[in-house]
Amino acid sequence: LLLKFLRDLSLHRALVSLQDRGVCSVDDLKRILTDEALFNEIADESALSYREGMILKRAVESRAEKDPDNTLLQQRLESDAANARKTSEMAHAVAGCYAVSHQQFVDIDKEVRKHYGTKYSSKQVTMLTVVEDIIKPRCQRTGKSVAEELNGEKKLSVDLFVTHSWREPWEPFAKAVIEEGGRKLEEPNLFICSLALKQGDAATVKAQVGASVDTAPFLRALRQAKQLLVVRNAIEDIYTRMWCVAELVFASDLGFVEQGRLIVTGPDGFKGSTTGCKDARCSNPEDRKMIVDWMEDREISDSDIDQVIQKIRRFRTL
């Protein structure tokens, strides 16, 4: 039962939630985190990377050294458990089931082309306008995200995670996803946030994003993905957007960069930009603070992330 529960949540959230429910005590948490065989088994079952596991282990050990009577640790566990209760249900619902197939995205592009007609190739037809004109009304009619509407209870594993800016023109974005998406992976299932989440007002979207970066649908989908597709554009540097930075940080943690699982496409018009990861903006100020705080707890440094960002900006496509 413990391992089954851990499959539904990240290791940290699962442990603190278990403790909150009285299933395991603070002493149990310490035993789990000091018993290497048990720790590795739980980490494997919860899809936690070894690197993340070691970070968590060191963090708990450090807190224990500074807090021998467990007072501060108990307070942190209670706080984390409260957050876990708020976000776990939504995070589990989105994880791994709201991708679209390659062919479904081709059909969506055809729908966009038909809707805009001769204006389809205009720079004014962006992801933002497509969301407002097509995707939001569709979500309002069905009460579901586009991906959920198309696939229902059928859970599609994520093959290709697409990171991009919503200010990009739609046509080159769609072309990149269709062509690059099928170049290394045959007919991949795609995680595209505008299709994976039910689009609506800010409260609707925030409810799906949740109160924790670790349980946000974007990062949960990245855990499953085989490749990360970075779609650059001529309008906005995607790494001035904080969620794109967060996705890159997490992808780096998971080894996408080191293992060559990162695909870069689109124009290199921002190759001269020198802004760093902490300069990035977010449409929701609360999300930005949440991501910045989360980044502070990561093992990878800001300078390391900035180096990866610069390489992506300067990467030359054929």
Side-chain angles (χ1 to χ4, degrees):
L1 289 176
L2 173 64
L3 293 180
K4 181 179 185 299
F5 186 80
L6 290 172
R7 290 189 186 98
D8 296 340
L9 296 171
S10 68
L11 178 61
H12 187 208
R13 296 298 178 190
L15 290 178
V16 297
S17 186
L18 285 171
Q19 190 277 334
D20 179 69
R21 293 167 56 191
V23 178
C24 65
S25 65
V26 171
D27 289 339
D28 291 330
L29 293 183
K30 286 186 175 181
R31 182 175 64 84
I32 290 170
L33 292 166
T34 54
D35 184 328
E36 185 172 357
L38 179 60
F39 175 82
N40 289 337
E41 180 181 8
I42 292 174
D44 288 343
E45 290 292 345
S46 62
L48 191 79
S49 73
Y50 178 80
R51 186 177 188 182
E52 289 177 302
M54 291 302 102
I55 293 171
L56 173 61
K57 185 173 182 179
R58 286 196 295 272
V60 172
E61 289 172 345
S62 175
R63 285 202 297 269
E65 291 173 1
K66 299 176 182 178
D67 184 31
D69 62 356
N70 295 323
T71 301
L72 296 177
L73 178 58
Q74 182 71 31
Q75 292 173 353
R76 176 68 182 271
L77 290 171
E78 291 173 356
S79 174
D80 284 351
N83 288 333
R85 285 194 298 273
K86 293 178 183 177
T87 60
S88 62
E89 182 178 350
M90 182 60 71
H92 177 61
V94 175
C97 60
Y98 297 144
V100 295
S101 70
H102 189 267
Q103 183 57 52
Q104 286 170 343
F105 183 77
V106 170
D107 293 339
I108 290 168
D109 180 48
K110 290 178 180 177
E111 179 184 351
V112 174
R113 185 183 294 272
K114 181 179 179 181
H115 179 89
Y116 290 105
T118 57
K119 297 181 180 179
Y120 172 81
S121 299
S122 168
K123 291 182 179 180
Q124 278 66 53
V125 177
T126 65
M127 172 63 77
L128 274 170
T129 58
V130 170
V131 168
E132 289 296 327
D133 296 343
I134 299 175
I135 298 177
K136 274 189 181 180
R138 186 167 174 173
C139 292
Q140 290 170 355
R141 286 196 304 271
T142 65
K144 302 175 181 179
S145 72
V146 172
E148 184 184 6
E149 173 206 340
L150 293 173
N151 298 303
E153 294 301 316
K154 182 181 178 182
K155 296 183 178 180
L156 300 182
S157 60
V158 178
D159 296 316
L160 190 67
F161 185 102
V162 183
T163 183
H164 62 106
S165 164
W166 279 30
R167 289 180 174 81
E168 70 211 340
W170 171 270
E171 183 183 31
F173 167 75
K175 182 179 179 181
V177 171
I178 293 169
E179 293 183 357
E180 294 295 337
R183 197 183 301 274
K184 289 191 176 182
L185 298 170
E186 185 176 351
E187 298 294 312
N189 296 327
L190 311 165
F191 185 92
I192 300 172
C193 58
S194 60
L195 305 178
L197 274 63
K198 186 173 94 171
Q199 298 303 315
D201 59 20
T204 298
V205 175
K206 181 59 181 175
Q208 297 168 89
V209 172
S212 166
V213 176
D214 288 315
T215 55
F218 322 114
L219 271 59
R220 291 176 66 87
L222 262 173
R223 287 187 186 279
Q224 299 183 6
K226 298 175 183 176
Q227 301 277 352
L228 171 65
L229 177 62
V230 179
V231 183
R232 302 178 305 192
N233 68 87
I235 304 300
E236 180 178 56
D237 177 3
I238 67 170
Y239 291 116
T240 61
R241 307 306 304 174
M242 189 55 85
W243 273 112
C244 291
V245 170
E247 290 161 2
L248 181 61
V249 170
F250 197 61
S252 298
D253 278 352
L254 295 175
F256 278 77
V257 178
E258 295 175 356
Q259 298 166 12
R261 296 161 56 198
L262 187 148
I263 306 168
V264 181
T265 187
D268 61 356
F270 295 97
K271 61 184 177 182
S273 176
T274 58
T275 59
C277 58
K278 291 293 179 65
D279 298 318
R281 308 181 304 277
C282 200
S283 55
N284 186 326
E286 292 180 2
D287 280 2
R288 187 184 188 283
K289 182 180 184 306
M290 177 177 70
I291 294 169
V292 170
D293 291 344
W294 171 81
M295 287 173 62
E296 294 295 336
D297 293 332
R298 312 305 290 182
E299 187 174 76
I300 189 167
S301 68
D302 293 351
S303 60
D304 288 340
I305 287 298
D306 288 342
Q307 287 181 25
V308 177
I309 288 174
Q310 290 300 335
K311 289 180 181 179
I312 292 174
R313 284 169 172 162
R314 297 167 184 168
F315 183 83
R316 295 184 63 183
T317 58
L318 297 178

